[in-house]
Amino acid sequence: MHDASCMAGIAFTNSSLGINHSLAHAVGAKFKLSHGKSNAILLPYVIGYNSGLRSNSIEKVEVAERYTQISKSLGLPSSNVMEGVISLMEAIKVLNREMNIPITIEKAGISKIEFEDSLIDMVDGSLKDICTAGNPIKTNKDDLINLLRLAYRGE
């Protein structure tokens, strides 16, 4: 595990990770959630965001195709790009449930008032986080606010 952890750290240093990690840094620090748990909660929502999944259409085809390849390699339903992205998102939620990881920030026991009061600070911190630069698509403050609100309620 030590060797694997070291190799992962080297890879992370060279890849800059993306908004899943920058948001997990902010959420975890604010609400005292472990980094792994914060990443797991946020991951399905970040996949949807990065794919551009909106009202039954895929806006970021190249990114969505990468997620679909992951779905296919896991043997998940992936007859088209949208199905592949959604399958991956749902599989992560199932895995989270099986490991007793909440599937939303709300289910992690965070009150809506405390969440909303911290939202802007978390987003501002995430935008300054070095990991954000490695996200496959450019992001902005409004997008991250909407993404965190989605991850809070899980809709």
Side-chain angles (χ1 to χ4, degrees):
M1 288 304 293
H2 172 66
D3 289 347
S5 176
C6 183
M7 288 172 23
I10 291 167
F12 291 171
T13 298
N14 292 318
S15 69
S16 189
L17 299 174
I19 61 171
N20 203 87
H21 279 268
S22 57
L23 291 170
H25 290 149
V27 170
K30 176 61 188 168
F31 299 116
K32 310 292 186 263
L33 295 174
S34 72
H35 186 58
K37 186 179 282 189
S38 299
N39 272 296
I41 293 168
L42 292 165
L43 188 56
Y45 308 103
V46 171
I47 289 171
Y49 169 78
N50 282 339
S51 298
L53 191 60
R54 305 267 194 282
S55 62
N56 297 322
S57 68
I58 295 288
E59 296 170 10
K60 308 293 182 189
V61 175
E62 182 180 315
V63 175
E65 286 173 347
R66 287 194 217 152
Y67 289 129
T68 299
Q69 288 298 40
I70 295 169
S71 268
K72 286 179 182 178
S73 70
L74 293 172
L76 299 172
S78 305
S79 62
N80 59 53
V81 174
M82 182 175 295
E83 183 180 46
V85 170
I86 292 170
S87 293
L88 183 59
M89 292 167 61
E90 291 305 313
I92 292 166
K93 290 177 186 177
V94 167
L95 186 59
N96 283 350
R97 283 186 195 100
E98 289 175 358
M99 295 188 314
N100 294 317
I101 294 172
I103 60 166
T104 66
I105 297 170
E106 180 180 34
K107 289 186 191 296
I110 310 305
S111 79
K112 184 160 180 75
I113 291 169
E114 189 177 5
F115 174 79
E116 286 293 332
D117 286 349
S118 305
L119 186 58
I120 300 303
D121 286 342
M122 289 188 297
V123 167
D124 287 344
S126 296
L127 287 169
K128 294 174 188 170
D129 190 304
I130 193 166
C131 293
T132 298
N135 203 58
I137 63 168
K138 296 294 179 201
T139 191
N140 61 52
K141 189 171 187 169
D142 289 337
D143 286 347
L144 293 185
I145 288 169
N146 292 332
L147 176 56
L148 280 176
R149 283 185 172 142
L150 179 63
Y152 180 82
R153 66 183 181 277
E155 294 174 4

